[in-house]
Structures are given as structure tokens and as C-alpha cells.
């Protein structure tokens, strides 16, 4: 069965960096586009970034553009999110999600359980 | 890209039906038949329940149904059950080829 397991979250000071990972199993990871989606405390879901199956397409939400970088290693079945210059408003649970398609957004057909990033001094 | 508009909360009694609306613009909901809905129990992974406006993934109860008219999509849950109590989010493809979510709706089963 499809499994997505996020890791790498934690408490970090403003301005610092983290790298989030999402280990995928139960499907051919290299065939699917992948996303990061976040949920701040008490708030709704916010899309963060998408990467196509072959890394040729990467799009970001305006709120993270220039600070976050999405990448993937298809040989390791792993999705990454490098988060730099963290701000308190980046505090959220970060979910990885699989897209039904391989290039652009279709819909999120499977989700992980999330990893918490807390930005605080 | 502004978030799609959903009611903050809805409620219903067991066995009743409820409908959650999701209003966007011609650049998202109204322009494409790529609206999806997600059920989210806090602390758990969100779950896809409707895709492409009205299609149900395998294993999702037929008590969940979706529709769209103009710039507004709707999720209807019939025969409400206690386990339906959760947060529900709509999402749509947009002109920029990226997704946008609704603000979420908290469903309370009375």
C-alpha cells in the first residue's frame, strides 16, 4: 500500500534552515508528481510546492518562493523540502502528498501524516 | 491566488444530509473540472474523497457526492454518521497550473 512518511521537522530559530524529507513506498515513486502542503496551527491547508516526476517542473506558493526548494531523489524514493530563512509564520505541520499525475497538479491522492516545524526564538 | 471560500462550520444530526459549498472564480473552480475534496481528522493524514468534481475514489462511501455550478462546487454528505465529523477542504486547479485550497469547513455531527 502507498506510504508517505515525513521527517526532519523540529524547533528552529528564525532565520535558520531545515531539510524535510518524505520517504515513499508501495508505488513507483518516479512516475508521480509530488507536493508539499502545510497547515499552520488553527489554520487550513496551504499548498507549498510541486515537483514533477522528472524534476523538470517546480512551482512554489508566493509565500515561500525564493526561500524554499523542493527536490527529489528517485533512486531513494524520497522527496525533500529545503526550508531557508525561516519565519515564525512558517510554523506548521508539513505534509507530503502524491499527485495523481506526473507533471502538473491534478489532485492529491495520498498524504503522509506530517512533520511539525516550529519557528521560535 | 486567493483561497477558495468555504463556510467555517456546518452541522447535522445522524442520518441527515449536509452540503458544503466551495466558491472560487473563473480562474479556478469555474474554469476547470478539477475540483477535489479532502476529509481531515485532526492529527491524521488528509484523505481524498472526491476528485474531478464528482468522482469518488475506490473505497470511499457513496454517501459522499460532489457537484459544480459555475464558480461554486459542492460536497454533499448523506446519511450523516458520527465518524464523518472532521474538517473538509476543497481544492481546485488554477490558471497558474497550481492548486488552491478552500479555507476548510468543520463538520459537527450533533
Amino acid at each position: 500500500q502507498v506510504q508517505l512518511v515525513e521527517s526532519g521537522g523540529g524547533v528552529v530559530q528564525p532565520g535558520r534552515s531545515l531539510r524535510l524529507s518524505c520517504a515513499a513506498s508501495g508505488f513507483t515513486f518516479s512516475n508521480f508528481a509530488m507536493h508539499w502542503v502545510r497547515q499552520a496551527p488553527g489554520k487550513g491547508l496551504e499548498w507549498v510546492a510541486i515537483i514533477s516526476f522528472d524534476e523538470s517542473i517546480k512551482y512554489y506558493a508566493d509565500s515561500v518562493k525564493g526561500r524554499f526548494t523542493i527536490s527529489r531523489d528517485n533512486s531513494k524514493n524520497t522527496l525533500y523540502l529545503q526550508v531557508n530563512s525561516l519565519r515564525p509564520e512558517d510554523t506548521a505541520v508539513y505534509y507530503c502528498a502524491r499527485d495523481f499525475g506526473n507533471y502538473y497538479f491534478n489532485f492529491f491522492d495520498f498524504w503522509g501524516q506530517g512533520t511539525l516545524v516550529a519557528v521560535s526564538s | 491566488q486567493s483561497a477558495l471560500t468555504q463556510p467555517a462550520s456546518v452541522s447535522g444530526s445522524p442520518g441527515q444530509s449536509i452540503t458544503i459549498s466551495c466558491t472560487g472564480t473563473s480562474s479556478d473552480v469555474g474554469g476547470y473540472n478539477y475540483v477535489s475534496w479532502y476529509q481531515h481528522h485532526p492529527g491524521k493524514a488528509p484523505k481524498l474523497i472526491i476528485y474531478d468534481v464528482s468522482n469518488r475514489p475506490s473505497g470511499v462511501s457513496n454517501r459522499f457526492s460532489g457537484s459544480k455550478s459555475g464558480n461554486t462546487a459542492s460536497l454533499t454528505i448523506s446519511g450523516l454518521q458520527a465518524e464523518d465529523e472532521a474538517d473538509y477542504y476543497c481544492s481546485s486547479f488554477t490558471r497558474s497550473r497550481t492548486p488552491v485550497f478552500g479555507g476548510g469547513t468543520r463538520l459537527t455531527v450533533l
Side-chain angles (χ1 to χ4, degrees), chain A residues 39 95 104-105 107-108 111-112, chain B residues 38 40 45-46 51 89 93 97:
Chain A
Q39 183 176 34
Y95 297 97
Y104 300 106
F105 171 68
F107 50 88
F108 312 97
W111 298 67
Chain B
Y38 304 87
H40 189 202
Y51 66 93
Y89 293 89
F93 182 85
R97 299 180 179 178

Side-chain angles (χ1 to χ4, degrees), chain A residues 47-115:
Chain A
W47 173 77
V48 173
I50 182 176
I51 185 168
S52 61
F53 76 108
D54 61 356
E55 298 191 84
S56 63
I57 293 166
K58 299 179 185 181
Y59 290 148
Y60 299 90
D62 289 343
S63 57
V64 307
K65 204 171 294 183
R67 299 188 299 123
F68 290 12
T69 302
I70 190 170
S71 63
R72 63 192 297 161
D73 186 335
N74 287 342
S75 69
K76 295 183 178 179
N77 293 337
T78 303
L79 174 73
Y80 301 102
L81 186 68
Q82 178 68 39
V83 297
N84 298 332
S85 304
L86 280 162
R87 305 167 179 169
E89 56 265 34
D90 295 320
T91 294
V93 174
Y94 285 73
Y95 297 97
C96 72
R98 192 184 82 168
D99 198 285
F100 179 75
N102 52 24
Y103 274 112
Y104 300 106
F105 171 68
N106 287 268
F107 50 88
F108 312 97
D109 59 355
F110 290 96
W111 298 67
Q113 297 268 15
T115 186

